[in-house]
């Protein structure tokens, strides 16, 4: 809802700046999204009076104008506009002077045009950010010739153009919650401003004179579905004069985000914005039989709406029909022949209250959502329909655009019982955690037009949101001030702490960021084809996915059983966007079906993906090793991923550059490696790409929950380098494991520093070199202890066919 502050000032004058107005209204529950000052981009543009127009000596289409801009001497402006000639002498025009700015950041400076000095520019309506709807008398391709309009400030040379054309309003955008449809109006927000600023509120009951005629001689109304149409009021205006609305009305509509059309359309829009009551105007000559029937559509009926689209109606849709056919979709949009034409002479005004749920269902089924339907679907006040109709007739008489027939048709089936709620100050204070005196509560509620009588709060009919004691407490709290309510802890609830799993996941996130990866978050629903893209076998259990019953589309129709496709999608997107180096991670769930009609298992997974920057398989392996070290997961082992791999994603990786990581007790913790060429091609990634999938619950079980302090060593270490020759097929990890098991508890670390294959080594063999550090915490190691450990290591290695290199 966009609110014109000029319009608001008709009812209440807050007396504060626009910024303070927005802040205070937000603090009392009417949330402001922002505000815009009209003409804020325009500066140093004034009203100019053309004193003289002469042809340019060096141009056939340019003219030289002498313009009075309210200064001691006129300024010279050169223009090529076709509508500025000698006959325009004496006209008033917008003149952008030297160092002026126009909408869009356009700057105007003096200069020479074909040798003649031009000290500014004469402006068109478009250059001021306006359209012909704002000033219908202007021309689109030419200078804006200003006219003195009735009720507007007198135009004079040198006058700021924003004041001259009414481009000096402030439009405030409110976010109105669905339970407050009364605030979708100027009057509703005026009531809120009255409660906020405690300034006088002036709202007059609209009235019109009308003639002595009876509406029944023009039209008859039949409400055939009182359940869906609680109230329908209609009136007639004859001797219609369709034309331009006055400027004050056009200005307010523009500031509210509504385009001016003509006086009758503008009146209906004006009343909708002012009272929050949608209205519609029919040309009576298109109402067959001069009868209006509010009924359900008949099977097979169609209607061509105002937007020119033919729409098929169903029997549960409410329509406004004449004797033969539907003329409008109730609460949504009128038919193509229900609008106001230039030759219209008699108009029927409609102001009704329809069932909100019915309007929403109809609008959704027809694929339409209008300003009217947006208001109706929230629920409107039936008692407002007649008041809004009176206001429309008041405006018709004020604008002199027609003769109002003296009576109205009013089919009223609404419930007029005034809603009330128990008033319990003690309960309200307990509920809010406050100590507000009862007298203050009464004062706050009466500001909002909520009356207190006999221990009950009586709400006006426009406040459809007041239904229980908590609603009354909310009204008290927002006027008292949310920021004045003291801080209190929730009673009877334990203080929230992070679960062990949450703490573990946070440790993962911190570690991955420290290792240089960026976190991503992807959707859990994917395409069934994602399994094909990562080359999952046809018989894999991963293809058995949970299907979404109401998917957004084919590409988001199943819940993912592997997090790997989600990571590949983001890697692919980054590659397409020419990001040369990427390292990403995600904590997300997979959804594994269990029994029919039961919720799936949702195990958490850590996905890692990277490419570029000369990264290879061992960079990813090193990252995983460092992650496990930070998480205190000890004794992990890495093994090549063969046909017996426990992960169905094994075919997603290069067969010679993939591995599985196991915990100390042999449980698989994850799979990682270089993505296969087929997967890279499927995702359009043109460089070697590496990915990992790690099992977070299994990692958490394998992690040591206790942090142990290790003191700095008191005694020196003994270091030995060992080079052995073994079969090329023996993994170096197996050799390292043998060294660790043989050395005993004096072993501190084992580091591989060389692997060699070449002419000096027998074919089918390799040379592997380790740096072995041993240390005792009980004393300095002797040569005998160190030699004994080395002998045990060599013996263990020899059992594997490894010999010391000579």
């Amino acid at each position: 809802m966009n609110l014109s502050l000029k319009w608001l000032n008709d009812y209440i004058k807050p007396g504060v700046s626009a910024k303070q107005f927005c802040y205070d209204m937000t603090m009392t529950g009417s949330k402001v999204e922002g505000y815009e000052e009209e003409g804020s981009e325009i500066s140093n543009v004034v009203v100019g009076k053309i004193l003289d127009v002469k042809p340019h000596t060096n141009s056939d289409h340019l003219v030289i104008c002498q313009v009075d801009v309210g200064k001691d001497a006129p300024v010279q402006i050169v223009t090529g506009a076709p509508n500025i000639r000698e006959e325009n002498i004496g006209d008033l025009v917008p003149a952008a002077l030297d160092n002026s700015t126009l909408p869009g950041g356009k700057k105007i400076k003096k200069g020479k045009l074909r040798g003649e000095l031009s000290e500014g520019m004469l402006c068109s309506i478009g250059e001021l950010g306006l359209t012909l709807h704002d000033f219908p008398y202007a021309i689109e391709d030419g200078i804006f010739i200003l006219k003195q309009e009735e009720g507007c400030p007198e135009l004079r040379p040198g006058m700021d153009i924003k004041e001259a054309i009414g481009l000096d309003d402030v439009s405030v955008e409110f976010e109105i919650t669905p339970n407050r449809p009364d605030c979708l109006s100027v009057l509703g927000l005026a009531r809120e401003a009255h409660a906020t600023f405690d300034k006088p509120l002036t709202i007059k009951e609209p009235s019109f004179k009308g003639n002595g005629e009876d509406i029944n001689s023009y039209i008859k109304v039949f409400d055939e579905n009182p359940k869906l149409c609680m109230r329908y009021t209609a009136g007639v205006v004859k001797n219609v004069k369709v034309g331009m609305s006055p400027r004050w009305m056009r200005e307010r509509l523009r500031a509210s985000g509504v385009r001016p059309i003509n006086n009758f359309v503008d009146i209906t829009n004006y009343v909708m914005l002012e009272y929050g009551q949608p209205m519609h105007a029919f040309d009576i000559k298109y109402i067959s039989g001069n009868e209006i029937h509010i009924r359900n559509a008949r099977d097979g009926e169609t209607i061509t709406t105002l937007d020119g689209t033919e729409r098929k109606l169903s029997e549960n849709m409410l329509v406004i029909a004449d004797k033969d056919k539907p003329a409008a979709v109730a609460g949504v949009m009128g038919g193509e022949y229900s609008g106001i034409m230039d030759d219209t002479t008699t108009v029927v005004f409609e102001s009704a209250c329809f069932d909100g749920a019915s309007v929403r269902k109809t609008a959704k089924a027809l694929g339409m959502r209008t300003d009217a339907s947006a208001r109706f679907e929230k629920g409107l006040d039936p008692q407002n329909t007649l008041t809004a109709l009176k206001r429309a007739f008041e405006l018709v008489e004020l604008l002199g655009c027609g003769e109002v027939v003296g009576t109205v048709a009013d089919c009223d089936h609404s419930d007029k019982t005034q809603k009330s709620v128990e008033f319990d100050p003690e309960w309200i204070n307990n509920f809010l955690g406050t100590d507000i005196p009862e007298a203050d509560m009464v004062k706050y509620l009466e500001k909002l037009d909520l009356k207190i009588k006999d221990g009950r709060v009586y709400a006006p009919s426009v406040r459809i949101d007041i239904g229980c004691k908590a609603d009354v407490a909310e009204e008290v709290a927002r006027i008292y001030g949310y920021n004045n309510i003291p801080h209190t802890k929730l009673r009877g609830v334990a203080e929230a702490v992070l679960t062990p799993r949450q703490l573990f996941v946070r440790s993962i996130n911190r570690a991955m960021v420290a290792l240089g990866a960026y976190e991503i978050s992807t959707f859990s629903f994917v395409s069934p084809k994602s399994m094909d893209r990562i080359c999952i076998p046809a018989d894999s259990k991963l293809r058995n996915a949970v299907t979404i019953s109401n998917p957004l589309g084919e590409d988001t129709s199943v819940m993912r059983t592997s997090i790997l496709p989600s990571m590949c999608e983001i890697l692919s997107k980054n590659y397409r966007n020419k990001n040369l180096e990427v390292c990403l991670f995600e904590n997300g769930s997979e959804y594994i079906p269990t029994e029919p009609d039961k919720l799936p298992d949702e195990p958490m997974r850590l996905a890692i993906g990277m490419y570029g920057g000369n990264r290879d398989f061992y960079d990813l392996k090193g990252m995983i090793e460092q992650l496990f070290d930070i998480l205190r997961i000890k004794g992990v082992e890495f093994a090549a991923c063969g046909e017996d791999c426990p992960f169905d994603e094994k075919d997603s990786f290069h067969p010679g550059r993939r591995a599985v990581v196991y915990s100390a007790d042999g449980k698989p913790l994850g799979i990682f490696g270089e993505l296969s060429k087929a997967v890279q091609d499927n995702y359009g990634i043109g460089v070697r790409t590496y990915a990992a999938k790690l099992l977070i619950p299994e990692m958490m079980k394998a992690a040591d929950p206790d942090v142990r302090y290790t003191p700095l060593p008191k005694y020196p270490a003994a270091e030995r380098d060992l080079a052995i020759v073994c079969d090329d097929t023996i993994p170096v990890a197996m050799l390292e494991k043998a060294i660790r098991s043989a050395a005993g508890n004096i072993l501190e670390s084992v580091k591989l520093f060389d692997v060699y294959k070449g002419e000096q080594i027998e074919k089918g063999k390799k040379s592997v070199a380790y740096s072995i550090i041993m240390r005792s915490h009980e004393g300095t190691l002797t040569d005998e202890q160190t030699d004994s450990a080395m002998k045990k290591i060599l013996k263990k290695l020899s059992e594997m066919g490894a010999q010391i290199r000579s």
Side-chain angles (χ1 to χ4, degrees):
M1 172 71 189
N2 292 338
L3 174 68
S4 158
L5 291 191
K6 275 189 176 180
W7 198 345
L8 180 71
N9 284 334
D10 285 354
Y11 303 103
I12 180 173
K13 293 179 171 56
V16 295
S17 66
K19 183 177 181 179
Q20 188 65 41
F21 175 81
C22 295
Y23 175 81
D24 291 343
M25 290 292 283
T26 297
M27 293 306 292
T28 55
S30 302
K31 183 184 176 186
V32 174
E33 289 290 296
Y35 71 94
E36 181 181 354
E37 297 178 354
E38 286 188 332
S40 58
E41 294 184 295
I42 299 176
S43 66
N44 204 24
V45 181
V46 300
V47 175
K49 183 177 181 179
I50 300 176
L51 302 178
D52 188 32
V53 180
K54 291 183 178 178
H56 194 296
T57 56
N58 297 322
S59 173
D60 294 334
H61 70 281
L62 295 177
V63 293
I64 302 171
C65 304
Q66 301 299 320
V67 183
D68 178 6
V69 293
K71 296 184 179 181
D72 295 338
V75 297
Q76 179 171 293
I77 297 178
V78 179
T79 181
N83 64 327
I84 299 298
R85 293 292 179 261
E86 289 186 12
E87 55 266 28
N88 295 108
I89 293 176
D91 284 346
L92 299 174
V93 293
L97 305 180
D98 184 34
N99 289 322
S100 60
T101 58
L102 295 173
K106 185 177 181 180
K107 296 187 179 295
I108 305 299
K109 292 185 177 293
K110 65 181 179 180
K112 288 190 175 182
L113 289 176
R114 296 287 183 93
E116 292 288 346
L117 176 66
S118 182
E119 298 178 88
M121 183 182 81
L122 303 184
C123 301
S124 68
I125 191 170
E127 286 165 336
L128 296 175
L130 301 170
T131 69
L132 293 181
H133 293 285
D134 300 306
F135 290 91
Y137 64 78
I139 63 172
E140 195 163 15
D141 299 320
I143 301 303
F144 182 17
I145 307 296
L146 300 173
K147 292 184 179 180
Q148 183 68 52
E149 296 191 61
E150 184 179 352
C152 298
E154 183 180 356
L155 301 178
R156 62 187 186 279
M159 184 180 188
D160 190 312
I161 195 65
K162 291 183 284 188
E163 180 188 357
I165 62 176
L167 200 62
D168 53 356
D169 201 349
V170 177
S171 177
V172 180
E173 181 184 357
F174 285 88
E175 179 187 320
I176 306 301
T177 54
N179 68 321
R180 291 300 306 274
D182 59 298
C183 288
L184 287 170
S185 65
V186 176
L187 290 181
L189 291 172
R191 296 186 188 99
E192 290 296 307
H194 166 65
T196 300
F197 299 100
D198 202 18
K199 295 295 179 66
L201 175 66
T202 305
I203 299 178
K204 296 179 181 178
E205 180 70 20
S207 62
F208 65 96
K209 295 179 181 178
N211 59 23
E213 294 181 274
D214 184 0
I215 190 175
N216 290 307
S217 62
Y218 287 88
I219 200 162
K220 290 182 171 58
V221 178
F222 304 92
D223 186 355
E224 299 174 16
N225 193 336
K227 184 177 179 181
L228 297 185
C229 178
M230 288 76 76
R231 191 171 188 180
Y232 190 96
T233 56
V236 173
V237 178
K238 68 177 189 178
N239 299 327
V240 164
K241 301 172 185 175
V242 180
M244 179 178 68
S245 299
R247 199 181 89 180
W248 61 265
M249 180 175 282
R250 303 197 309 269
E251 287 177 4
R252 293 181 178 186
L253 291 175
R254 181 185 67 226
S256 302
V258 176
R259 185 182 66 182
I261 305 292
N262 60 51
N263 47 12
F264 275 89
V265 175
D266 293 349
I267 285 173
T268 60
N269 286 332
Y270 192 91
V271 174
M272 179 181 70
L273 293 170
E274 188 174 38
Y275 282 81
Q277 172 63 47
M279 298 190 68
H280 192 66
F282 298 89
D283 189 332
I284 200 170
K285 69 173 172 282
Y286 294 112
I287 301 177
S288 174
N290 287 0
E291 294 180 2
I292 292 178
H293 295 263
I294 302 97
R295 61 171 173 82
N296 287 71
R298 300 189 179 103
D299 187 33
E301 276 190 322
T302 61
I303 183 173
T304 301
T305 48
L306 279 170
D307 58 3
T309 303
E310 185 179 46
R311 304 181 188 276
K312 186 176 181 181
L313 305 173
S314 63
E315 294 180 347
N316 59 350
M317 295 179 182
L318 193 69
V319 297
I320 311 302
D322 56 25
K323 188 176 181 180
D324 303 321
K325 64 187 182 306
V329 183
V332 182
M333 186 180 284
E336 65 176 335
Y337 295 114
S338 66
I340 305 300
M341 314 297 179
D342 291 338
D343 61 346
T344 297
T345 58
T346 305
V347 170
V348 178
F349 277 91
E350 163 196 291
S351 178
C353 184
F354 304 112
D355 177 69
S358 172
V359 171
R360 177 167 177 78
K361 290 176 182 177
T362 299
K364 190 173 182 180
L366 295 177
M368 308 166 66
R369 197 166 191 269
T370 60
D371 282 342
S373 69
R375 284 171 162 78
F376 278 121
E377 68 188 28
K378 294 175 176 63
L380 296 183
D381 175 19
Q383 312 315 317
N384 200 31
T385 60
L386 183 57
T387 305
L389 185 64
K390 289 180 179 178
R391 176 58 169 159
F393 289 162
E394 185 179 56
L395 290 170
V396 168
E397 293 182 342
L398 178 65
L399 272 55
C401 55
E403 181 182 345
V404 180
V405 171
T407 62
V408 300
D410 187 6
C411 297
D412 188 1
H413 307 284
S414 62
D415 182 7
K416 295 180 177 58
T417 304
Q418 190 173 13
K419 292 187 299 181
S420 67
V421 176
E422 180 187 355
F423 179 52
D424 188 344
E426 183 179 355
W427 185 92
I428 292 173
N429 275 324
N430 287 335
F431 182 71
L432 297 177
T434 56
D435 190 19
I436 305 172
E438 180 179 345
D440 289 350
M441 291 186 188
V442 172
K443 182 175 67 174
Y444 299 151
L445 294 173
E446 287 181 346
K447 282 184 180 181
L448 294 163
D449 203 22
L450 301 171
K451 306 301 182 185
I452 315 299
K453 183 180 179 182
D454 300 328
R456 298 190 71 80
V457 178
Y458 289 86
S461 58
V462 294
R463 292 300 303 273
I464 66 171
D465 60 307
I466 304 298
C468 63
K469 288 194 290 186
D471 295 328
V472 177
E474 181 186 8
E475 301 303 297
V476 171
R478 66 191 185 92
I479 304 303
Y480 174 70
Y482 292 122
N483 53 340
N484 294 325
I485 297 175
H487 299 284
T488 55
K489 291 184 178 181
L490 294 175
R491 295 184 292 272
V493 180
E495 291 190 16
V497 295
L498 294 175
T499 64
R501 191 186 77 166
Q502 289 172 325
L503 289 170
F504 188 74
V505 171
R506 289 196 177 192
S507 297
I508 292 174
N509 291 347
R510 286 194 293 266
M512 292 305 300
V513 171
L515 292 169
Y518 288 87
E519 185 175 8
I520 63 171
S521 181
T522 60
F523 290 119
S524 300
F525 30 87
V526 296
S527 168
K529 297 177 182 177
S530 63
M531 292 296 102
D532 296 327
R533 299 183 76 184
I534 63 169
C535 302
I536 297 298
D539 59 350
S540 171
K541 63 180 181 294
L542 295 181
R543 290 185 177 271
N544 178 26
V546 176
T547 303
I548 300 174
S549 58
N550 57 339
L552 298 174
E554 174 66 21
D555 290 341
T556 54
S557 60
V558 298
M559 304 300 290
R560 67 186 178 199
T561 53
S562 173
I563 198 171
L564 201 58
S566 300
M567 176 57 71
C568 291
E569 286 284 358
I570 303 302
L571 291 171
S572 173
K573 185 175 182 180
N574 276 272
Y575 183 79
R576 293 196 304 272
N577 289 337
K578 295 183 171 41
N579 290 330
L580 302 179
E581 184 177 348
V582 171
C583 183
L584 308 172
F585 78 96
E586 177 184 14
N587 287 310
S589 295
E590 295 177 343
Y591 299 83
I592 311 302
T594 53
E595 301 177 27
D597 301 324
K598 286 193 176 182
L599 293 175
D601 289 336
E602 300 181 25
M604 284 197 72
R605 303 294 185 238
L606 170 63
I608 305 173
M610 61 174 68
Y611 69 76
N614 296 319
R615 289 186 170 92
D616 60 15
F617 174 90
Y618 295 103
D619 288 301
L620 180 55
K621 179 176 180 287
M623 178 179 283
I624 294 171
E625 288 177 321
Q626 291 185 61
L627 172 64
F628 285 171
D629 185 55
I630 293 170
L631 298 174
R632 300 187 299 280
I633 302 175
K634 306 296 184 183
V636 296
E637 295 183 9
F638 296 88
C641 182
E643 291 303 316
D644 58 345
C645 178
F647 292 93
D648 283 24
E649 292 97 336
K650 63 179 182 296
D651 291 335
S652 305
F653 297 93
H654 188 290
R657 303 185 189 115
R658 63 189 182 189
V660 176
V661 56
Y662 292 92
S663 65
D665 59 358
K667 300 290 180 61
L669 299 180
I671 184 173
F672 67 96
E674 180 183 326
L675 292 177
S676 69
K677 185 67 167 57
V679 171
Q680 290 177 190
D681 290 344
N682 289 339
Y683 284 96
I685 306 174
V687 295
R688 287 189 173 185
T689 306
Y690 304 89
K693 167 184 164 179
L694 302 177
L695 316 183
I696 291 179
E698 288 78 358
M699 290 165 58
M700 187 175 173
K701 289 179 182 178
D704 187 349
D706 299 323
V707 179
R708 293 180 178 83
Y709 168 70
T710 302
L712 292 173
K714 296 181 180 179
Y715 305 103
E719 185 174 348
R720 297 285 189 272
D721 288 345
L722 177 63
I724 57 174
V725 178
C726 65
D727 289 341
D728 192 18
T729 57
I730 299 177
V732 292
M734 188 179 295
L735 298 173
E736 181 179 329
K737 184 177 181 180
I739 293 171
R740 289 184 180 277
S741 64
N745 57 10
I746 66 171
L747 180 68
E748 185 172 278
S749 68
V750 179
K751 291 185 179 178
L752 175 72
F753 68 85
D754 184 53
V755 177
Y756 173 73
K757 302 176 189 177
E759 296 179 357
Q760 300 179 28
I761 302 298
E762 183 183 345
K763 189 176 181 181
K765 301 284 187 178
K766 63 183 174 183
S767 172
V768 183
Y770 289 96
S771 174
I772 301 172
I773 298 177
M774 293 173 281
R775 190 193 307 268
S776 172
H777 294 283
E778 297 176 356
T780 302
L781 289 175
T782 64
D783 289 341
E784 290 79 6
Q785 289 174 301
T786 305
D787 292 341
S788 175
M790 291 302 296
K791 288 178 182 178
K792 292 178 182 178
I793 291 171
L794 291 172
K795 181 180 179 183
K796 188 74 173 179
L797 292 172
S798 66
E799 292 173 359
M800 301 173 62
Q803 302 295 328
I804 191 167
R805 181 179 176 184
S806 59

